Structures are given as structure tokens and as C-alpha cells.
Amino acid sequence: MSSQVRLRLLPSARCLFDEPVQVKVEGLRSRQVVTMKARSTDEKGVVFSSSATYRADGSGEIDLLRDPSLSGSYVGVEPMGLLWSMKADALHKKFQKPCALNPHVVKFSVHEEDREDRMLAEVTNERLLIGNGVSRLPVKGRNYQGVLFTPPGEGPFPAVLDLCTFVSEKRASLLANKGFVVLTVPVYTDRPDNVKQMHLDHFKEAVDFLQQQPKVCSKGVGIISRSKGGEIALSLAAFFLPGVEAVVWINGCSAVAGVPLYYKNQQIIPPIPFDLSKIILTESGASMINYTLENPVAEKNKGSLVPIEQAKGRFLFVASEDDLCLNSKVYMEQIVERLKHHGKENFETMSYPGSGHMLEPPYGPYCTSSFHGVVPHVVLWGGEARTHAAAEVHLWSKIQEFFRTHLSCDAAQTKVKI
């Protein structure tokens, strides 16, 4: 490495996962062209990487806040582009970070142009999922299991149930850093093909547990969901009043899909079936599955629609317009039409052109395709990397604003630092 070249991450090389960093290079030759790289290994041992070509200014400096990438994994001014553009060498890989205990470690480096073996400088970015003082407690109820994240301080804090399709702690831990008590509960704890029915009372048990936590304010809870979790979130809001005050529904369905929904061992909503003959196989080997679910508003399927008009809480409906997993924009419009038909105004909507199904907290590697645990096939998630990454930044801020507005407690919230 060159002793003169310095690679810096500002304000610090250690930060929370959802915080941006300013990447700067100093000590290069005037107008020198270099290759900048990022590299990280997920919890499955899969290596993800990105690279971009930059030209230094007259003072031999590069600032990713200001300077455009000339070529590589992305082009143009993208301050966090090296992070969201990372991908694996193998096809159909999603960056796996299910546990919040381990930070997302990224190695940034600067190399001579066309001489990748000639590294000029490097720095390690430690991106934490749990901030200072946030507690993490695995919990196992009678009919559910999950992980509870609690901010430091006496509270009271607003509470959020995070319904993830499979075990994942990232979103929950990051929300806890913002001053929410969050319980993350997976929809599936068994192989999906072994699941013949969903039991709403299992998730209601998780809501009750969350409301009983000593640091939680007395107001009802919020729910955040995506995909399969969306129909569970809608059903909890529709059937259990007034415990659910605010719901964020991201790229879900307007109806119960695949397996029936039960409460106290009685079926309450029958499912809409999947037609797997409508899977579209692409040249990459990944499939488009957004046409496999029958139309929820067709006359024969209307009994599967969630009676969302019964809910009293507030809703934020979010749809990606390039979702290749579910027709989420259509399903969002169906929900909104139903609410309006019943004279309801307790909702707002967000629609993101060019974004795909996997909307997550920002600055993680964008995933174009991976194995779908429910279908099961390798599927295309949709979206264009740059546009999808921008949508994640905007949505993450919107989610926090929505919950703060509709789950406010008497005591002031405090954000957690690293």
C-alpha cells in the first residue's frame, strides 16, 4: 500500500447499518484514475463485492458525495453506491444477515487503475445492527417464537411487531435503535410445505406479549410487514380491536393466499390458490411468479379478501411498481378501493417505480434474484438497483415518521447511538 494515499470514512468507520458514510480518498496524483472496491462476507460465507472507477480532482482527492463513478458496478454520483451495488460472483444469492448480533463488516479499498493487485489504501467499515444499550432477548411463547429488542432508558416506548416471512432481526433491531420496542416474529417457523394453515391467534399472542412489556406505553402496537406477513398484519388489524394502532404493509396481498387462516381452530378466511403453471422461467434460470396467484377480487375469490374495513387503526400501504414476486401495486389498489367503498380514510399509500419486492432498510446489497422459500423456486424480485436503493432510503424514513405519528407516547423518545 502507498503510505501517501489515505482512505477515510466520515464521520466514523464505525456506524449503524442504516447510516450513510462519506467515503473520501486523499493523497492521489492530480487527476489520477483509480478503482474503488467494497467487499463483504455474509453469514453463509458468500462473498459480495463491488467496484467503481473514479478520477481524482486537481488536488488528488476523491469524494463520493461529489464525484461520479466513471464505470463499474454503477455510474454517476452515488455516495453509497459501493454498498448497495455489491453482489456475489454466483447467481441468485441474497446477502444473509439474519442475526443482529454480528455487524455488517465491509472492507473498502483503493487500487491502481487496471492493477487490482496494487492496493493503495484500505479501511474497514463496521456497520452495527444493534446500537449501544439496546437489549436483545430471544422469546418463546406458547405458540410463537421471536426476538425482542428494547431501547435503553425507562420509556415508555411505542411498540412494533415485525412480521418477517422467515427469521430475520435486521429491521427489528434497527427500529429499536430509533426508540421502539420491537418484537420480530417469523411467519414461518417450519418448512412452508409442512404448513397447511395459518393460526391468527398465534400472532395475537405475540401482540399481547408485546403490550405487556414494562417499557411499552399503554397505546396499541404497530405492525410492520412485507409479503406473506402483509395478510397477517391486515387480519390482526381487522379482527383485534383496538390493539393494533398502526400497520405498515409492504408488497403484500389483499387476501389470504395459499393456506387458510384459522382462529381458535376455526377457519375464518379461506385461501386463494396459486397456479404454478403460470410461473414464467427466464434465461437467467430465475422465475417470475407475480402471475401465479388468482385474482383476489374475482367473484369466486372474494371470500378470501381480508375485511380490512373493520380495522380502526392507521395504515401505510407501500407497493413496488416492478415487484416480480407479487402484483403488489394491484393488491394495494384493491385494498384502497375497498376502504374507500366503506367510507374509510384511515390510510396513506406510497408507490415506488423501478423498485422490486425486497424493500428493506437501506444500504444493504441489492438482490435481483434468489431462492424463494415458499414457492419454492429461484425467483426474480424485480427492480433496478439504483432506483430500488433510493426507494429504500426514502421508505425507511417514512416508516419511522409514520410510527412516531400514530404510536406516540407521553414521554419523549430517544434515538440510540453506537
Side-chain angles (χ1 to χ4, degrees):
M1 287 190 291
S2 169
S3 60
Q4 311 224 333
V5 178
R6 186 180 179 195
L7 177 56
R8 302 172 63 202
L9 302 177
L10 302 173
S12 172
R14 194 167 184 262
C15 63
L16 293 173
F17 181 96
D18 57 348
E19 291 179 341
V21 289
Q22 182 181 8
V23 184
K24 296 187 73 173
V25 186
E26 301 167 344
L28 297 169
R29 300 187 302 276
S30 176
R31 311 296 179 189
Q32 182 178 353
V33 176
V34 295
T35 299
M36 299 193 63
K37 296 189 171 196
R39 180 184 175 93
S40 184
T41 304
D42 75 359
E43 292 186 7
K44 296 289 188 180
V46 179
V47 176
F48 287 69
S49 63
S50 61
S51 66
T53 302
Y54 283 88
R55 185 188 304 276
D57 63 12
S59 301
E61 296 184 358
I62 295 171
D63 184 348
L64 267 61
L65 281 177
R66 172 197 69 192
D67 299 324
S69 164
L70 305 177
S71 63
S73 300
Y74 60 93
V75 294
V77 178
E78 292 291 337
M80 298 291 282
L82 285 170
L83 286 177
W84 57 251
S85 69
M86 285 193 295
K87 60 183 180 180
D89 289 337
L91 291 173
H92 315 313
K93 296 294 183 182
K94 182 179 186 296
F95 194 90
Q96 300 292 331
K97 181 60 77 172
C99 180
L101 289 174
N102 303 319
H104 177 38
V105 178
V106 183
K107 290 188 178 295
F108 289 92
S109 56
V110 186
H111 303 254
E112 291 266 15
E113 185 188 21
D114 300 326
R115 284 284 309 275
E116 295 190 7
D117 60 328
R118 171 84 168 124
M119 184 166 62
L120 303 176
E122 68 175 340
V123 66
T124 299
N125 184 199
E126 191 177 17
R127 308 185 63 78
L128 304 173
L129 279 81
I130 302 182
N132 187 34
V134 173
S135 68
R136 175 189 179 274
L137 178 68
V139 295
K140 187 170 179 60
R142 183 178 177 187
N143 294 299
Y144 75 93
Q145 60 189 46
V147 181
L148 180 71
F149 294 92
T150 306
E154 296 182 2
F157 301 107
V160 175
L161 176 67
D162 185 345
L163 291 174
C164 48
T165 306
F166 298 100
V167 173
S168 177
E169 300 177 14
K170 179 168 64 176
R171 187 169 59 189
S173 61
L174 293 174
L175 274 176
N177 295 337
K178 311 300 182 184
F180 298 91
V181 175
V182 189
L183 174 64
T184 178
V185 173
V187 173
Y188 291 101
T189 55
D190 194 359
R191 287 170 52 96
D193 53 1
N194 291 337
V195 176
K196 306 305 180 186
Q197 51 198 229
M198 284 286 170
H199 292 270
L200 195 59
D201 34 331
H202 296 182
F203 300 100
K204 175 62 163 56
E205 184 185 338
V207 171
D208 293 341
F209 170 82
L210 192 50
Q211 288 183 300
Q212 292 163 6
Q213 296 308 297
K215 287 188 178 184
V216 168
C217 56
S218 58
K219 209 172 179 185
V221 306
I223 302 177
I224 186 168
S225 63
R226 187 186 66 209
S227 199
K228 182 65 178 176
E231 66 200 57
I232 304 296
L234 296 184
S235 299
L236 285 168
F239 289 108
F240 299 115
L241 314 173
V244 179
E245 290 285 336
V247 173
V248 177
W249 174 102
I250 304 170
N251 292 336
C253 188
S254 54
V256 170
V259 295
L261 187 65
Y262 276 63
Y263 182 66
K264 294 186 175 178
N265 294 319
Q266 295 291 320
Q267 180 176 294
I268 56 175
I269 303 181
I272 295 176
F274 288 96
D275 183 354
L276 298 185
S277 69
K278 294 184 178 179
I279 291 176
I280 300 172
L281 184 65
T282 67
E283 290 183 0
S284 71
S287 299
M288 294 171 54
I289 63 170
N290 52 333
Y291 297 107
T292 58
L293 191 63
E294 291 188 8
N295 182 10
V297 297
E299 194 62 39
K300 65 175 182 176
N301 293 326
K302 285 187 176 180
S304 298
L305 292 165
V306 178
I308 190 61
E309 69 278 1
Q310 297 176 183
K312 303 297 184 186
R314 298 288 307 184
F315 293 91
L316 173 61
F317 299 114
V318 181
S320 294
E321 295 189 14
D322 193 34
D323 187 345
L324 297 181
C325 177
L326 290 171
N327 278 330
S328 51
K329 178 83 183 302
V330 171
Y331 300 147
M332 181 177 76
E333 291 168 349
Q334 291 172 356
I335 295 169
V336 168
E337 184 177 346
R338 184 177 181 118
L339 288 170
K340 287 181 176 178
H341 177 75
H342 287 87
K344 297 286 187 174
E345 298 179 344
N346 57 337
F347 63 89
E348 52 191 294
T349 63
M350 299 293 302
S351 183
Y352 290 102
S355 63
H357 185 73
M358 301 294 282
L359 285 174
E360 297 189 329
Y363 310 131
Y366 162 71
C367 179
T368 58
S369 60
S370 66
F371 183 78
H372 192 298
V374 179
V375 176
H377 286 266
V378 171
V379 303
L380 290 171
W381 299 113
E384 183 276 324
R386 181 199 304 262
T387 310
H388 186 95
E392 290 183 331
V393 173
H394 182 271
L395 176 59
W396 188 234
S397 175
K398 180 65 180 177
I399 288 169
Q400 296 169 53
E401 175 193 326
F402 176 78
F403 280 144
R404 288 201 183 98
T405 300
H406 300 295
L407 298 176
S408 59
C409 295
D410 293 335
Q413 290 175 247
T414 56
K415 292 184 183 179
V416 175
K417 305 295 184 183
I418 61 169

